[in-house]
Structures are given as structure tokens and as C-alpha cells.
Amino acid sequence: MGLQFPTRAERPGSQPHASGLEGAWPEFMYHDAVLNRLFGRVIDELPEFQYYAWDDEREEVVGVGNAIPAAWDGEIASLPDGGVDAVVEAGFAEGAPTPTVLCALQILIAPDYRGQGLSSRMIERMGEIGRQHGLATLIAPVRPNLKHRYPLVPIERYITWRRDDDAHVDPWLRTHERLGAEIVKVAPKSMRVSGSVADWEKWTEM
């Protein structure tokens, strides 16, 4: 499997998607008002920070990564409670301060390529892109990918769960930690999705 990790600036064109990536997130995540309004600008105006994994043998996109430059003073307390939404809004606000870090927005992996270490390579590539643009620090408002199985458990408790080998129970948190990441704060209002009861019943199929 020969993989390349070009940015959209290096290979311009429409945002690529691998088969199987459409609808990769739970339906409700496609109804975030901030991202619906601004994510297109992230793609169009910041192509040097959007990238993908290209499989030379299959001639197919097998992963997509999106990030945005952000301003952060290095103090944990100043990281926004609004997580993804807050960072994206701040990035396009008039008079936004000069970016000092790169902030991850999402990484998607095609189903056939999961469990093969590609997610780690995508995170590493994101950090590399940041460094190439003078942004040595990568921050990430991470969405733990097994949290939905424990809806009644507070996130503050969930992120403390460890396996017998002391690694995180959650695979996505575990992947980040293995690459040197540290959990420093919970973003309780990251990706706020508003809808009626009927909307949520439809989105969750409940």
C-alpha cells in the first residue's frame, strides 16, 4: 500500500472523498449551524491545511484531514469551551489575531483502512503541515469515538477510564496519547447542534 498525503493546495480541485466516507459521522453531526455556515470557507480559503491520503495502487482517496490555524496563548484556561465551533468562528472573525497554533477539525478514514495505523499517520501529517507553516503546536478538540456507548457517563469521568495496560479505553484518545498528546481540558460546548425533539428522533433513529 503506497500512500501519499498531499494538501489541497498541492493538488487543487474539489474536496476528495473516498467511497465509504460519505455519511461517516452520526447524522446529527451534519446539523451544526457554525460548521454548516463556515466549513466551506475552511476548505476553499485554507487549502494548504486540508489534506488527504491517496493510495497509489487503488488510485483512491482513503483518508481526509482538515485543520485550521488558530490563535492560542498557551494557557489552558484560555482554550475555548466552544471547541470546534469556537475555533472556526474565531478563525473567520474580522480582525482575528495572528495564528500561533494549528487546530485539528477532523480526520476521516475509509472503512477498509481502519485498524491499520493510518489514523496515526494522518495525525502526524497534520502536525507536519503545521510545522511547515510555522505552527509548531497542534491542538485538537477530540471527539472520543466510543463515548456514545456510555451516554449517561460524564465526559470528565469517561476520559479517565484506562485499560489494564494504562492506555485509554477510548481508541481515538489512545491514538493521540501514543503520539505524545495530553488531555488538558474538556470543551463542553464543542459542536452545538440544535433541533426539535422530532429532529433528534429522526437523526438518532430513536
Side-chain angles (χ1 to χ4, degrees):
M1 178 173 63
L3 294 179
Q4 298 181 38
F5 299 87
T7 67
R8 287 195 73 236
E10 294 166 337
R11 292 189 184 180
S14 60
Q15 175 74 348
H17 290 287
S19 60
L21 288 186
E22 298 83 359
W25 298 118
E27 176 60 30
F28 66 84
M29 292 185 65
Y30 295 98
H31 299 274
D32 180 304
V34 172
L35 294 186
N36 286 348
R37 175 166 49 89
L38 294 174
F39 193 70
R41 292 185 62 183
V42 173
I43 301 302
D44 294 338
E45 298 179 26
L46 300 168
E48 65 271 32
F49 299 104
Q50 321 312 318
Y51 64 104
Y52 47 98
W54 173 263
D55 187 325
D56 285 327
E57 296 177 6
R58 293 176 55 169
E59 296 187 343
E60 183 179 27
V61 172
V62 298
V64 174
N66 304 105
I68 184 173
W72 180 45
D73 61 9
E75 296 294 327
I76 294 174
S78 66
L79 288 170
D81 290 342
V84 171
D85 286 356
V87 170
V88 172
E89 281 196 306
F92 292 103
E94 186 175 351
T98 301
T100 56
V101 300
L102 187 64
C103 181
L105 296 180
Q106 69 170 354
I107 288 176
L108 293 173
I109 306 294
D112 290 349
Y113 287 76
R114 293 171 188 168
Q116 302 179 41
L118 180 54
S119 58
S120 294
R121 295 180 68 183
M122 292 290 284
I123 296 171
E124 291 172 332
R125 175 61 174 140
M126 188 178 288
E128 180 182 274
I129 290 170
R131 292 189 294 275
Q132 289 172 348
H133 291 83
L135 305 173
T137 299
L138 176 65
I139 61 174
V142 174
R143 177 179 178 269
N145 57 8
L146 294 186
K147 175 62 177 71
H148 66 283
R149 297 184 181 179
Y150 310 95
L152 301 182
V153 176
I155 187 67
E156 291 83 358
R157 179 184 171 198
Y158 177 80
I159 61 176
T160 68
W161 288 359
R162 298 273 175 173
R163 306 187 311 189
D164 290 341
D165 62 0
D166 201 39
H168 278 289
V169 166
D170 188 90
W172 197 217
L173 295 180
R174 189 163 65 243
T175 297
H176 282 78
E177 186 175 62
R178 285 174 175 169
L179 294 175
E182 178 185 358
I183 297 176
V184 295
K185 186 177 181 179
V186 169
K189 298 179 181 179
S190 185
M191 294 194 67
R192 299 184 69 181
V193 178
S194 298
S196 66
V197 172
D199 288 333
W200 279 97
E201 288 177 342
K202 178 180 179 182
W203 298 336
T204 59
E205 298 182 352
M206 294 176 65

